[in-house]
Amino acid sequence: DVKVTQSSRYLVKRTGEKVFLECVQDMDHENMFWYRQDPGLGLRLIYFSYDVKMKEKGDIPEGYSVSREKKERFSLILESASTNQTSMYLCASSSAGTGAYEQYFGPGTRLTVT
Amino acid sequence: GNSVTQMEGPVTLSEEAFLTINCTYTATGYPSLFWYVQYPGEGLQLLLKATKADDKGSNKGFEATYRKETTSFHLEKGSVQVSDSAVYFCALSQYSGAGSYQLTFGKGTKLSVIP
């Protein structure tokens, strides 16, 4: 079974702190994704990566950056956390190549910025 | 751009009732379509998928048929159980380059099933 793990289920940070959210997948997937989930807005893509050291902006990249130094690990960084970044963050991974491969999701990190 | 519209919830049903959650999409070309489910406190899980027109995806008693003519992918189940209480997301997938497919999600429909 594909397993996607996220470093924390719950996180509380202060405004202005630098925040790291870590995601690890164990299926050798090429693609990895970071989403945020907010009530009434569904899931919105922040960044994705299709290879090590490669990244692409999603729909809402402002205020975030990412790092992918190893194939299995994809980090989301909030350089200076703000209260409007309080949200549920979901990581996902998928295979590359032809065909529409489904994405596999981690359990999510609920981040609160105070 | 691509978009997915699904019926707004919440939806409350009695156990053994029939379920329909409507989903329509806008996309260029021929996307693949998915239904994901999110149980309380968990991440999303793939429920079913369809990759071309007239395909029917099915899993755990849930079904959805890819209707290209109406650009729809409605989720149905004949008899819901309390354990089906969750949030359901419709999504489409299209190629975004470099071997990567991006998902576009609907906003989710919360289903509550009462005994």
Side-chain angles (χ1 to χ4, degrees):
Chain A
D1 273 356
V2 176
K3 194 152 188 187
V4 180
T5 57
Q6 296 183 228
S7 51
S8 304
R9 293 298 301 271
Y10 300 93
L11 209 52
V12 180
K13 296 292 182 180
R14 293 188 183 274
T15 301
E17 278 193 82
K18 191 169 186 175
V19 181
F20 292 87
L21 302 183
E22 304 284 336
C23 174
V24 177
Q25 51 94 2
D26 66 358
M27 282 301 293
D28 202 36
H29 283 167
E30 290 81 5
N31 302 319
M32 297 188 74
F33 307 82
W34 275 107
Y35 297 88
R36 65 177 282 176
Q37 181 181 11
D38 299 289
L41 297 177
L43 274 76
R44 293 178 291 168
L45 181 65
I46 305 171
Y47 268 97
F48 69 98
S49 168
Y50 53 88
D51 201 351
V52 175
K53 296 192 186 294
M54 305 303 288
K55 60 185 180 183
E56 294 285 342
K57 292 180 180 179
D59 300 319
I60 51 163
E62 296 79 18
Y64 304 94
S65 62
V66 290
S67 173
R68 191 161 181 209
E69 297 295 320
K70 294 185 177 182
K71 190 175 185 180
E72 67 271 18
R73 187 179 298 268
F74 192 35
S75 302
L76 179 70
I77 303 156
L78 288 66
E79 294 288 342
S80 177
S82 64
T83 55
N84 63 11
Q85 293 179 309
T86 291
S87 186
M88 170 71 89
Y89 290 89
L90 293 168
C91 176
S93 71
S94 71
S95 294
T98 57
Y101 294 99
E102 58 263 35
Q103 293 182 15
Y104 296 85
F105 285 81
T109 295
R110 185 165 294 282
L111 173 67
T112 302
V113 182
T114 60
Chain B
N2 299 337
S3 67
V4 175
T5 303
Q6 59 182 104
M7 62 186 286
E8 294 192 17
V11 174
T12 302
L13 295 174
S14 297
E15 209 165 18
E16 299 185 2
F18 185 85
L19 169 71
T20 300
I21 301 178
N22 290 335
C23 172
T24 57
Y25 67 89
T26 302
T28 54
Y30 304 97
S32 293
L33 301 173
F34 302 83
W35 277 100
Y36 281 83
V37 59
Q38 184 178 34
Y39 298 104
E42 298 183 12
L44 276 68
Q45 302 174 26
L46 179 67
L47 181 59
L48 52 84
K49 69 176 181 181
T51 58
K52 61 184 187 296
D54 299 325
D55 265 4
K56 178 186 280 188
S58 61
N59 186 26
K60 299 181 181 179
F62 290 89
E63 294 183 340
T65 301
Y66 188 164
R67 301 285 188 201
K68 183 170 174 292
E69 63 277 10
T70 54
T71 61
S72 65
F73 192 55
H74 305 321
L75 182 68
E76 296 181 338
K77 187 176 185 183
S79 176
V80 293
Q81 306 300 314
V82 172
S83 56
D84 294 327
S85 298
V87 181
Y88 293 81
F89 292 91
C90 185
L92 68 83
S93 174
Q94 279 201 303
Y95 188 65
S96 58
S100 173
Y101 285 77
Q102 281 193 48
L103 287 176
T104 301
F105 287 89
K107 293 184 179 180
T109 302
K110 184 175 182 179
L111 169 67
S112 296
V113 180
I114 54 177

